[in-house]
Amino acid sequence: MAPGLKRFTDVAVDGTPRLDDAAGEELVCVERAASVALGNRAPEPPGTLFITTRRVIWLSGAEKGKGYAVGFLDITLHAVSRDPEAYPSPCLYTQIEAEADSDEEDGDFDSEAGGDSQLPKISEMRIILADAAQLDSLFNAFCHCAELNPDPTAEENEDSDLFHGGDMTNGGWIHGDEDEHMVDGIDPEFFIPIPIGQNGGDDLSSSVLELQINDQRFEDADEEEARENGH
């Protein structure tokens, strides 16, 4: 399914959205008299905002059957905005994953003339509440639901980083406290012994030969001392 904002029309008789019970979707909170501004368009007339464990759903109060929905997996950023220079009204600002290689449209769109095809191109949505003091509570609800919907590719990226050597603390191979099974702080599983004569490019054979010569000199000195003592 394509990412991004979508038209929502699955409304029950009582005016509430039908949730995906099979997927365990539950209602988290409801904000009445809430408006949404899509992209650079003017805010929609007030409607009702439904936050579920999977989606953000807005239903128009002025036009029956009109609504929008976006999944939390498609919301890449959310933040409370109270700067009048950024936007005239306090709002919850969200960035939405839009269709690839699509430019956000300008001006209004006609829902009867291809408007639905333009929705996935929208990369920003602002939620304006009648009571701006409730923005912090709405922000907390977004945070909670975002935690319930982690990016499914994040774990794959972490696994890939580990496989290719990314994010390796202390070399990436030793985890936890070092113990007696380690060799100079290196787990034997990853310890590669270096043969004599191949220690980082230094040839040790000359050192071994020198040690053998010195040992022979010690033996000769002991024999000479024994002869002088009459043994």
Side-chain angles (χ1 to χ4, degrees):
M1 183 179 293
L5 192 70
K6 299 176 178 63
R7 181 77 61 181
F8 186 86
T9 58
D10 193 7
V11 182
V13 177
D14 60 359
T16 61
R18 291 191 178 93
L19 305 185
D20 188 353
D21 295 332
E25 185 178 22
E26 299 177 357
L27 188 63
V28 174
C29 69
V30 178
E31 291 289 346
R32 312 242 177 227
S35 300
V36 293
L38 308 180
N40 57 3
R41 305 170 189 158
E44 298 272 359
T48 305
L49 184 73
F50 299 86
I51 307 299
T52 80
T53 52
R54 297 176 62 87
R55 296 177 287 179
V56 177
I57 302 171
W58 179 83
L59 299 179
S60 173
E63 296 184 43
K64 186 177 180 180
K66 180 180 181 179
Y68 307 113
V70 59
F72 275 102
L73 285 175
D74 293 330
I75 298 176
T76 58
L77 181 147
H78 64 275
V80 174
S81 172
R82 293 188 173 92
D83 184 358
E85 294 184 1
Y87 195 75
S89 304
C91 64
L92 184 75
Y93 170 79
T94 65
Q95 287 184 356
I96 300 171
E97 183 178 356
E99 284 185 345
D101 301 327
S102 64
D103 296 327
E104 189 169 311
E105 72 289 348
D106 296 323
D108 297 330
F109 74 100
D110 183 357
S111 60
E112 300 297 330
D116 286 0
S117 65
Q118 298 295 317
L119 288 177
K121 298 180 180 180
I122 294 173
S123 60
E124 295 179 331
M125 178 176 70
R126 292 174 174 86
I127 301 172
I128 303 104
L129 303 181
D131 183 4
Q134 298 301 315
L135 283 174
D136 288 336
S137 296
L138 181 60
F139 174 82
N140 291 335
F142 266 67
C143 291
H144 171 68
C145 294
E147 291 178 355
L148 297 178
N149 296 270
D151 185 353
T153 64
E155 185 174 350
E156 295 177 5
N157 292 337
E158 290 177 2
D159 292 342
S160 177
D161 287 342
L162 289 174
F163 181 79
H164 292 290
D167 191 23
M168 291 186 177
T169 305
N170 296 328
W173 302 115
I174 300 173
H175 304 281
D177 296 332
E178 298 176 357
D179 56 26
E180 66 274 10
H181 300 295
M182 293 188 177
V183 180
D184 291 333
I186 303 177
D187 194 316
E189 182 181 357
F190 306 106
F191 176 71
I192 303 176
I194 302 175
I196 292 178
Q198 300 179 15
N199 185 16
D202 295 331
D203 188 357
L204 295 183
S205 10
S206 59
S207 299
V208 173
L209 179 59
E210 183 180 353
L211 179 61
Q212 292 173 344
I213 292 173
N214 289 337
D215 288 344
Q216 183 64 42
R217 287 175 181 173
F218 283 125
E219 291 176 3
D220 294 341
D222 291 341
E223 290 176 359
E224 183 178 350
E225 183 178 356
R227 284 195 298 271
E228 291 176 355
N229 293 333
H231 295 289

